Amino acid sequence: QEQLVASGGGSVQAGGSLRLSCVGSGYTWIGTCMAWFRQAPGKEREGVAGAYMGTGRNYSADSVKGRFTISQDNAKNTLYLQMNSLKPEDTGMYYCAADTRSFGCVDWSGPTHYKYWAQGTQVTVSS
């Protein structure tokens, strides 16, 4: 049974760093697209970064470019999100998402592409 488990959230001050992890089980995720999304209170869920597993191809939203780095460990079926220079506006619930269908990560930031979602992990950045 396909499952995603996310971890690594927490509370930091502005300028701090956090690293999120997402472990996928029940499927070999190579050749699929996995992504990180976040949702702040009262706002829509937005794509933060995506990875075409097994290809080394990664993508990120303009709002986090230069600060967040997505990486993949295919041997461990794990997706990471290294978040540096955190800002208060990065506060929100962060979700890892994946799907067994391969859509080549085209439009990786569209949440409707993903069937499997990890539980959220809260990130809070104080000023």
Side-chain angles (χ1 to χ4, degrees):
Q1 183 176 354
E2 297 85 352
Q3 186 177 14
L4 302 173
V5 178
S7 61
S11 297
V12 296
Q13 290 191 327
S17 298
L18 285 171
R19 188 194 197 204
L20 305 183
S21 300
C22 176
V23 181
S25 60
Y27 191 78
T28 300
W29 301 98
I30 292 176
T32 68
C33 192
M34 296 182 74
W36 288 99
F37 288 78
R38 67 185 179 189
Q39 189 166 20
K43 294 189 176 182
E44 291 187 356
R45 190 168 297 191
E46 64 167 336
V48 176
Y52 194 179
M53 302 299 283
T55 70
R57 287 160 55 182
N58 300 322
Y59 311 88
S60 59
D62 289 343
S63 59
V64 304
K65 272 189 170 68
R67 300 188 299 121
F68 291 11
T69 302
I70 190 170
S71 61
Q72 41 182 287
D73 185 334
N74 295 289
K76 296 181 179 180
N77 265 351
T78 301
L79 187 71
Y80 301 100
L81 185 68
Q82 178 66 44
M83 305 185 294
N84 298 328
S85 301
L86 282 159
K87 304 176 181 179
E89 51 264 43
D90 294 318
T91 293
M93 191 70 77
Y94 282 68
Y95 300 90
C96 170
D99 200 282
T100 55
R101 300 168 299 171
S102 175
F103 60 97
C105 264
V106 175
D107 189 31
W108 62 270
S109 61
T112 58
H113 289 302
Y114 303 94
K115 178 179 179 181
Y116 302 101
W117 292 80
Q119 84 291 355
T121 184
Q122 178 69 36
V123 172
T124 303
V125 185
S126 57
S127 57

